[in-house]
Amino acid sequence: MSRFFSNKYASLVPYTPGEQPKEMQYIKLNTNESPFPPSKKAQEKAAEAAKKLQLYSDPECRALNAAMAERFCVNTDEILMTNGSDEILNFAFMAFCDDKTPAAFADITYGFYSVFAEINRLPYRIIPLNKDFSINVDDYIGIGCTIFIANPNAPTGIALPVTEIEKIVKGNPDNIVVVDEAYVDFGAESCVPLIKKYDNLLVTQTFSKSRSMAGARLGFGIGSRDLIADLNTIKYSTNPYNINSMTMAAGIGSISDDDYNMNNCKTIVENREYTVSELKKLGFSMTESSTNFIFAKSDRIEGGELYRKLKERGILVRHFDKAAISNYNRITIGTREQMQTLIDTIASILEER
Ligand code: PMP
C-alpha cells in the first residue's frame, strides 16, 4: 500500500478472481467459462464495430436494449446493460443499500457481495445456509435488508424454485430483492417474468457463461422502470459509456443467435450429468447442480490436495479455503473430452494413494 492510499480503503480485501495462468496450457475448469466459442454472429458484429472505435459507444445502448427487450419480453426501460453482471451488482449495492437498509446475503455465496458492501462502506448481514447448503426461505422474510440471492447459488450450484424466491420477494415488499441469475440457463427457472408483478425485484444475468462471452464483459439487470432509472442514475454518475462498442455489437449478434447459445447450454448439462455419474463411481458426492459447474468432495482425498494434484497434472479447478467448504472443489463443466480427461486424471490420483 502506498502512503497515498485513501484511509477509506485501507482495510479493503479485494475479490480474488480465479487463476488465469499463462505459463502453461491448462484444462481450465476453474472460472466457469464456456468451453465453446461465442456465436459467429457475435464475432462478426464485434469485428465490424472495431472499424468505428474512434467514436464513443452509445451510452443508451439502444440497439442492444431493443434486442434484449424482445428476447426477454420486457420493455426497453426495464433493462440496463452493464460491464459484466458484476457492474450491475455493484450498482445495486450503491443504489439500494445504506446505513438504514443493510445488504443481506448467505454465508456461502458469490464472494464479491461482501466486497461490494465493503467498498461502498455499507453494513451487511450474513445469513447462514442450512447444513446441506440449501437456503432457508424463512430466514429472509421481512428482514428489512436489501437481499442478494444467487440463484442458482455459487459455488454450491443449488437452485431454489421460483415459487420459493417469490415468497422472499413477497415477504419484503418494502425492500429490494436482487436475484443474481448468472447460471440460470443451465437448468434453473428464471424470475424475470415476476418483475411485472413486483416492483421490488431486480434480476441480473450475464453473457459470460451461457453465451460464451466472459471476455467481452456484458451483463444486465431487469426490473421495474423505476428501479432501472435509479440504476441509470448510478451508471451515469460513474461510467456513462460502460459498454464498449465491440461488446455492444457482439451482444446484438449473440442474442440474435440465441439458439446456438442455448444448444451449447444443453450440451454442457449433458456433460455435467456424465461427470456427476462418473465421479459418483469414484466415490465423490456432489450437491445437486443446476449450473455449468459441480461442487464435489470425496472422503478419499482432501479438497486442497486434489486441487494441487490436478494442477500439477495440468487441470485447474477452484478450491476455496473457507472452512465449511474446504473439502470441496468447484469444477467447471467443459467439453466431453475435457471431462473424460478430468475423470481419468482423478482416477489415477486416487489409485496412486
Ligand atoms: N454472479 C455470480 C454468482 C458469479 O459467479 C459471477 C461470475 N464470477 C458473476 C455474478 C459475475 O459475472 P460477470 O461479471 O462475468 O457477469
Side-chain angles (χ1 to χ4, degrees):
M1 192 195 311
S2 85
R3 63 199 164 93
F4 305 105
F5 195 47
S6 167
N7 254 338
K8 281 195 299 191
Y9 305 122
S11 61
L12 187 64
V13 181
Y15 176 72
T16 315
E19 300 165 87
Q20 300 287 359
K22 298 283 174 263
E23 77 274 16
M24 74 178 253
Q25 276 286 336
Y26 284 98
I27 295 183
K28 260 191 101 273
L29 307 177
N30 68 326
T31 45
N32 299 341
E33 290 144 322
S34 173
F36 304 113
S39 145
K40 285 227 161 58
K41 289 189 179 156
Q43 298 180 40
E44 285 160 13
K45 290 265 188 198
E48 196 56 34
K51 295 177 189 160
K52 289 197 181 158
L53 283 177
Q54 73 275 26
L55 302 176
Y56 280 108
S57 57
D58 174 12
E60 290 177 57
C61 208
R62 278 165 295 196
L64 177 53
N65 253 30
M68 293 292 290
E70 197 181 325
R71 165 70 179 76
F72 286 89
C73 303
V74 295
N75 300 321
T76 50
D77 54 8
E78 292 169 327
I79 298 194
L80 177 62
M81 304 304 298
T82 53
N83 194 314
S85 55
D86 281 337
E87 187 176 53
I88 194 144
L89 290 165
N90 188 33
F91 287 174
F93 274 85
M94 292 169 83
F96 304 125
C97 304
D98 56 31
D99 286 343
K100 285 202 197 113
T101 313
F105 41 86
D107 57 344
I108 298 166
T109 188
Y110 185 32
F112 223 143
Y113 298 157
S114 56
V115 182
F116 289 136
E118 294 280 351
I119 195 164
N120 293 303
R121 312 184 95 196
L122 295 164
Y124 56 99
R125 188 171 147 192
I126 293 194
I127 302 177
L129 293 178
N130 294 323
K131 268 229 154 61
D132 62 358
F133 301 133
S134 60
I135 280 177
N136 181 10
V137 169
D138 292 339
D139 291 344
Y140 291 80
I141 304 298
I143 59 173
C145 297
T146 300
I147 296 170
F148 291 81
I149 296 185
N151 194 48
N153 198 7
T156 65
I158 300 171
L160 269 182
V162 163
T163 45
E164 295 298 293
I165 299 273
E166 186 169 5
K167 284 184 197 161
I168 297 174
V169 179
K170 219 176 177 170
N172 292 277
D174 298 323
N175 287 104
I176 301 288
V177 178
V178 179
V179 183
D180 172 355
E181 295 187 346
Y183 300 101
V184 74
D185 294 321
F186 301 100
E189 277 177 290
S190 174
C191 288
V192 166
L194 293 186
I195 68 118
K196 300 285 184 189
K197 207 166 151 190
Y198 299 98
D199 65 356
N200 62 326
L201 171 66
L202 177 72
V203 182
T204 66
Q205 289 191 21
T206 178
F207 279 61
S208 295
K209 325 286 178 184
S210 55
R211 298 189 173 88
S212 309
M213 278 177 46
R217 312 304 302 125
L218 188 62
F220 57 97
I222 301 185
S224 76
R225 199 167 68 176
D226 289 348
L227 290 194
I228 296 299
D230 293 341
L231 292 162
N232 263 310
T233 300
I234 304 287
K235 169 188 136 165
Y236 280 96
S237 309
T238 50
N239 188 8
Y241 307 106
N242 62 337
I243 306 190
N244 72 72
S245 336
M246 289 185 295
T247 291
M248 221 178 262
I252 293 168
S254 175
I255 213 73
S256 76
D257 196 15
D258 222 23
D259 286 351
Y260 165 80
N261 298 318
M262 294 305 125
N263 264 329
N264 284 342
C265 292
K266 241 196 237 160
T267 307
I268 289 168
V269 170
E270 285 162 14
N271 293 350
R272 180 181 76 209
E273 299 317 313
Y274 162 78
T275 310
V276 166
S277 75
E278 292 301 310
L279 282 179
K280 275 187 183 159
K281 288 182 205 161
L282 293 175
F284 280 80
S285 56
M286 278 142 287
T287 50
E288 168 121 27
S289 169
S290 300
T291 62
N292 66 338
F293 57 84
I294 51 175
F295 198 50
K297 71 164 181 178
S298 163
D299 293 337
R300 298 172 66 188
I301 185 163
E302 194 269 322
E305 185 184 349
L306 179 62
Y307 157 79
R308 284 188 295 279
K309 293 213 152 138
L310 282 170
K311 188 171 178 184
E312 280 163 23
R313 289 161 178 78
I315 301 178
L316 271 186
V317 298
R318 184 103 197 238
H319 179 255
F320 301 88
D321 286 329
K322 201 171 184 162
I325 54 173
S326 65
N327 217 12
Y328 285 80
N329 279 291
R330 192 194 70 188
I331 304 170
T332 304
I333 303 299
T335 60
R336 182 62 70 106
E337 228 180 6
Q338 288 175 323
M339 300 329 282
Q340 256 154 12
T341 307
L342 170 86
I343 303 291
D344 294 346
T345 310
I346 291 180
S348 80
I349 289 169
L350 292 176
E351 236 162 65
E352 274 168 26
R353 298 179 92 238

